[in-house]
Each structure stands twice: as structure tokens, then as C-alpha cells.
């Protein structure tokens, strides 16, 4: 499906993850006669976050009512189920249980319930200890929230379906094409990349873990910076998969934008435990020891990193323990599945979250989009951005049309 990057296009989308592909498909659907190209650095599409995640269609329980995350997740989840059905991509509305293991978590559970209902999740239901056991027989907790609309999906399969639609609509997907810079060339934007130059009417940058770098190279504010957070997963041995029927989550730490170590049935039948959340030495730190000098220096030189570490040092120590000690990692999940033991798991894969961190040390919670001349940048699209991708694509296309006009 890969082609060479064109010398000219009406619209160029940089990044062939689920967001870039969804944006290209949406822009092409709105203007079928436009030339749209996707420029992806790797030899294949969807090799980074899109292929290294929990595979969950989030229903929209957690997010601050009124935020972009809340709106785009709820809309995106509905569209994602429909899209999967239309394009024969595996997905299942299997439901999810959020478990409070002691009374100290009840207030936060009540806040999640309030948020979920405010976000329009009418089927969200508070459950007691007995109902928890009916939904997930191996889970123990004092109370829970059950979200029947949460589900699982093959996100790389969604990305492939989007790519097929783009190619079918006359768009170009160029892989092995690393965009290095963007500059104004008259009324157009000149993208220099590893295959040469593409002059575009405008560009949409969806570069995930490298989003800040391309935005800054285009003249945008360096704040916020992407700081990579590595998330490692374990896998339950097949003989122990019966411990988990669907999706089991803890009540999350309210100071972090991450959901905590959960147990998730994957669409291929495996059960994953994770992810951890450890600041990484590289934006592609799929292996724990991977360090890239530039990535590390950019993280260390960012004032926000030190402010965040100063504020969250005790959480950082817990995360270090989870990363270093499998027994501690398993213990975190055994809080709500007590039968779980270290011997029940083997190592799985890791993902690297592209998490925006403000200069002030704040982990940016909401999705963030910004403009430079003839370019729109997706600056922060962490979880649940895969769930929300089709709705994010509409938001991006609306913003692009407003900023650059329908003609590009
Ligand atoms: C551990 C983990 C668990 C998660 N769980 C979930 C979940 O259950 N549900 C959910 O909804 N979300 C989840 N997420 C979040 C979700 O995976 C991401 O929000 C989503 O995949 C982001 O998509 P993307 O297209 O922005 O990024 P990516 O998939 O990372 O794509 C960005 C692309 O840009 C390309 N690129 C970068 N720089 C350049 C350049 N210079 N030139 C050309 N191309 C470039 C990269 O090669 C890459 O292909 C999880 C994430 C992680 C890490």
C-alpha cells in the first residue's frame, strides 16, 4: 500500500498512527477531489502507540465533564464500535469493572460515578461486593462501578482499515518518510523529509511521541514538551486466564492522568496486566534499557520534569518498584484479584505513552491542538485517544477548515 511521497499535495498528514490515518480519511471524505498524503517515518503504519496499548475502547468514565477528552471519547467510542462493525475489525463490548478495595477509595469512586453520569454514560452502575463477584467471580472489593459500554478492539486492525479507505479514496500513504522540517513557501507549506520535499496547501501533524519536536521546528511554543512514559505489560498464563472475564481496573490515583495497573482481556483472548508508568530514556523505549541521548537530554533539560518529580516522587518510587520487581507489579493487581500470583504471569510487551508535560510540572490532562502557519499540530493525544480517534479526526478537520479554509 506504500507509495513514494508526492512533490505536491493539497493536504499532508505527518504520522501514520491511528490519529494521522483517521485525520487523513476524514479530510479526504470531506474533499474527495483533494490530494491527501500521509507521511510516515517507519517502514509500516501504526507501529508505535497504536500497536502497543491496552486495546480498550474507553466509554468516558474518568474524564472531566466538558473537557475535549470527555466529549471526544464518548463520541469516539460510539463511532469506533460502528466503524469496526462496518469494516469487519474485531471488537467486543465486554464491559468493565472499576474496583474500590477499601473504604478510603469510596469517595474517589463516587467522583468517577458523578463524572461518568455527567459525561452521558446512562448505563454506568454502582455495584456492591456481591455484585462484583457476580460480574467478575475472582475479584474482591468493597464497591465498584460497572461500565457495560467499555470494550476491547484490535486498534492496529482499525489503522489498517483506515489505510485501505485512504488508498481507496485516492490518497497516498508514504512509509519510510521521516519529516524533518516545515517552512513557508509562498502560500504553501514546504515539508522536507527523507524522500525529498512535499509542498502542501497545509499540513496536519500527528506525530505522537515526537509531536513537540515537529511543532517546535514549525515555530510553535516549546511548552508543553513530550515526556515518554514507558508502560510495561505482563501476560497471564493460559491456564490462569479464567481469573479475568473482561476488564478490571483500580480506582486511579487522581494526581496522574494514567488509569493504574489493570487486567484486560485482549481481543485475541490473552489477558494482559499493566501498564506500569515510568519516565523513559527514549521516546521508543520498548526495551527498559533503551536510551537515546537526545530524548534523555530533552527530558532532563525541561524544567517541568524536575517540578513533576519533586511533586510525584513517592509515586515514582512505587512505579520503579513495579518496573524492577515482577512480584511488586503482580501485587498491585492482586489487591483486587487476590488469587493472582507471580508464577501466573510471563513478560509481555511495553508501550511508550506520548504524554505532554507543562513547564510548570503539570502532566497535561486534556487533548491539546495548536496551529502554526499552514499547519495544525496534535500536541497531546494520550489515552483515550485511540478510542477517540474518529472523533479527534472530525475535530482536527473542523479546525483545519476554519484555519486554512476548505480549499487548503
Ligand atoms: C501503554 C499504553 C496503553 C494505552 N491504552 C489505551 C487504550 O486502552 N485505549 C485507548 O484509547 N488508548 C490507549 N492508549 C493511548 C493510544 O495508544 C494513543 O493515544 C494513540 O495510539 C495515539 O495515536 P497517534 O497516532 O497519535 O500516535 P502513534 O500511534 O504513536 O503514531 C504517531 C506516528 O507518527 C510517526 N512520526 C513521528 N515523527 C515523525 C516524523 N518526523 N515524520 C514522519 N512520521 C513521524 C511515528 O512513527 C508514528 O507512527 C495507550 C497508550 C499506551 C502507550
Amino acid at each position: 500500500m506504500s507509495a513514494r511521497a508526492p512533490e505536491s499535495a493539497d493536504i499532508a498528514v505527518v504520522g501514520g498512527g491511528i490519529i494521522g490515518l483517521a485525520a487523513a480519511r476524514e479530510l479526504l471524505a470531506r474533499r474527495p477531489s483533494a490530494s491527501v498524503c500521509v507521511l510516515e517515518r517507519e517502514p509500516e503504519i501504526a507501529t508505535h502507540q497504536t500497536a502497543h496499548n491496552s486495546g480498550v475502547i474507553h466509554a468516558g468514565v474518568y474524564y472531566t465533564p466538558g473537557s475535549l477528552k470527555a466529549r471526544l471519547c464518548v463520541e469516539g467510542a460510539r463511532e469506533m464500535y460502528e466503524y469496526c462493525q462496518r469494516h469487519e475489525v474485531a471488537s467486543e463490548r465486554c464491559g468493565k469493572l472499576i474496583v474500590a478495595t477499601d473504604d478510603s477509595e469510596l469517595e474517589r469512586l463516587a467522583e468517577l460515578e458523578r463524572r461518568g453520569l455527567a459525561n452521558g454514560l446512562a448505563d454506568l452502575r454502582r455495584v456492591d461486593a456481591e455484585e462484583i463477584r457476580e460480574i467478575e467471580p475472582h475479584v474482591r472489593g468493597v464497591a465498584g462501578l460497572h461500565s457495560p459500554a467499555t470494550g476491547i478492539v484490535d486498534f492496529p486492525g482499525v489503522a489498517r482499515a483506515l489505510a485501505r479507505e485512504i488508498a481507496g479514496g485516492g490518497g497516498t500513504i508514504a512509509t519510510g518518510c521521516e519529516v524533518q522540517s516545515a517552512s513557508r513557501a509562498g502560500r504553501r507549506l514546504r515539508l522536507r523529509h527523507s524522500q525529498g520535499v512535499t509542498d502542501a496547501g497545509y499540513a496536519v501533524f500527528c506525530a505522537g511521541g515526537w509531536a513537540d519536536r515537529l511543532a517546535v521546528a514549525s515555530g510553535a511554543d516549546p511548552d508543553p514538551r513530550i515526556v515518554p512514559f514507558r508502560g510495561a505489560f505482563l501476560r497471564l498464563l493460559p491456564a490462569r486466564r479464567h481469573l479475568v472475564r473482561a476488564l478490571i481496573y483500580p480506582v486511579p490515583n487522581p494526581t496522574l492522568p494514567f488509569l493504574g495497573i489493570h487486567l484486560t482481556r485482549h481481543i485475541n483472548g490473552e489477558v494482559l496486566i499493566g501498564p506500569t508508568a515510568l519516565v523513559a530514556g527514549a521516546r521508543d523505549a520498548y526495551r527498559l534499557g533503551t536510551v537515546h541521548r537526545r530524548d534523555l537530554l530533552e527530558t532532563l533539560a525541561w524544567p517541568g520534569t524536575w517540578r513533576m518529580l519533586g511533586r510525584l516522587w513517592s509515586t515514582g518510587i512505587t512505579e520503579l518498584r513495579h518496573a524492577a520487581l515482577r512480584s511488586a507489579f503482580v501485587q498491585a493487581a492482586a489487591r483486587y484479584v487476590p488469587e493472582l500470583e507471580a508464577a501466573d504471569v510471563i513478560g509481555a510487551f511495553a508501550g511508550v505513552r506520548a504524554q505532554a508535560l507543562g513547564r510548570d510540572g503539570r502532566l497535561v490532562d486534556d487533548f491539546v491542538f495548536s496551529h502554526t502557519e499552514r499547519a495544525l499540530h496534535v500536541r497531546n493525544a494520550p489515552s483515550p485517544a485511540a478510542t477517540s480517534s474518529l472523533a479527534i479526526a472530525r475535530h482536527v478537520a473542523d479546525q483545519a477548515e476554519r484555519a486554512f479554509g476548505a480549499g487548503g
Side-chain angles (χ1 to χ4, degrees):
M1 204 182 284
S2 180
R4 280 197 69 78
E7 286 174 11
S8 174
D10 293 320
I11 305 167
V13 175
V14 179
I18 199 166
I19 305 288
L21 293 165
R25 167 200 178 257
E26 175 72 26
L27 289 160
L28 200 53
R30 290 185 186 199
R31 283 182 59 204
S33 61
S35 52
V36 176
C37 65
V38 177
L39 309 177
E40 164 56 46
R41 182 187 55 195
E42 303 294 345
E44 304 281 339
I45 57 161
T47 52
H48 286 289
Q49 294 174 95
T50 300
H52 296 88
N53 59 48
S54 303
V56 172
I57 298 184
H58 289 290
V61 177
Y62 302 94
Y63 316 112
T64 310
S67 65
L68 280 173
K69 260 191 185 176
R71 179 166 66 81
L72 299 178
C73 179
V74 171
E75 291 173 12
R78 195 184 55 238
E79 290 168 72
M80 185 59 69
Y81 285 118
E82 287 166 7
Y83 188 86
C84 289
Q85 206 167 22
R86 254 197 335 274
H87 294 269
E88 296 183 353
V89 178
S91 72
E92 186 191 333
R93 229 185 220 91
C94 58
K96 143 170 159 176
L97 191 61
I98 304 174
V99 184
T101 51
D102 61 51
D103 289 353
S104 69
E105 293 180 328
L106 291 179
E107 205 171 303
R108 277 186 278 141
L109 193 72
E111 170 61 13
L112 291 183
E113 184 179 14
R114 193 192 65 75
R115 284 185 179 199
L117 293 176
N119 293 339
L121 307 185
D123 57 1
L124 191 66
R125 194 166 63 90
R126 185 72 173 253
V127 290
D128 62 22
E130 203 179 315
E131 289 167 299
I132 286 178
R133 280 196 294 277
E134 280 163 21
I135 298 166
E136 288 283 356
H138 300 276
V139 171
R140 295 293 171 268
V142 294
L145 266 187
H146 187 234
S147 163
T150 304
I152 51 178
V153 65
D154 172 11
F155 282 129
V158 173
R160 287 191 295 273
L162 292 167
R164 280 195 296 276
E165 279 200 275
I166 293 165
T172 304
I173 299 177
T175 53
C177 180
E178 177 172 11
V179 174
Q180 288 132 358
S181 69
S183 54
R184 245 343 246 275
R187 285 173 48 79
R188 294 170 68 79
L189 188 74
R190 176 157 298 165
L191 299 170
R192 291 185 194 281
H193 49 68
S194 51
Q195 294 182 8
V197 166
T198 299
D199 283 337
Y202 68 84
V204 179
F205 289 84
C206 310
W210 295 266
D212 55 339
R213 222 170 255 175
L214 285 171
V216 172
S218 313
D221 191 334
D223 190 4
R225 179 161 294 184
I226 294 288
V227 170
F229 279 83
R230 184 172 187 277
F233 289 91
L234 299 171
R235 193 174 273 136
L236 265 188
L237 293 174
R240 301 293 278 166
R241 284 182 190 159
H242 65 277
L243 294 178
V244 179
R245 276 189 178 161
L247 305 172
I248 308 168
Y249 279 65
V251 176
N253 176 345
T255 61
L256 295 176
F258 311 132
L259 302 182
I261 288 177
H262 40 265
L263 295 108
T264 48
R265 183 167 289 279
H266 199 261
I267 197 75
N268 65 11
E270 291 183 332
V271 176
L272 298 174
I273 307 177
T276 52
L278 193 67
V279 176
R283 296 181 184 210
D284 59 352
Y286 298 110
R287 296 169 70 90
L288 188 56
T290 304
V291 174
H292 297 313
R293 201 178 134 82
R294 180 175 177 192
D295 293 349
L296 184 63
L297 286 177
E298 282 184 357
T299 296
L300 295 178
W302 184 240
T305 303
W306 299 100
R307 292 186 178 124
M308 172 191 71
L309 292 176
R311 200 163 43 83
L312 297 175
W313 60 269
S314 68
T315 309
I317 290 169
T318 306
E319 287 299 334
L320 261 175
R321 283 191 73 236
H322 292 162
L325 293 173
R326 184 170 291 181
S327 56
F329 190 160
V330 172
Q331 241 172 34
R335 271 200 322 124
Y336 39 95
V337 184
E339 288 167 64
L340 196 63
E341 292 176 8
D344 295 334
V345 300
I346 51 171
F349 62 93
V352 185
R353 301 174 183 83
Q355 173 62 48
L357 177 64
R359 187 181 284 281
D360 58 3
R362 197 175 40 90
L363 289 157
V364 180
D365 195 32
D366 209 357
F367 297 146
V368 175
F369 306 89
S370 73
H371 297 169
T372 52
E373 275 194 288
R374 312 232 43 95
L376 198 141
H377 302 270
V378 179
R379 294 288 299 258
N380 192 43
S383 185
T387 299
S388 318
S389 50
L390 298 170
I392 289 178
R394 266 189 290 103
H395 183 77
V396 162
D398 288 346
Q399 289 218 338
E401 284 179 357
R402 217 169 294 133
F404 313 121

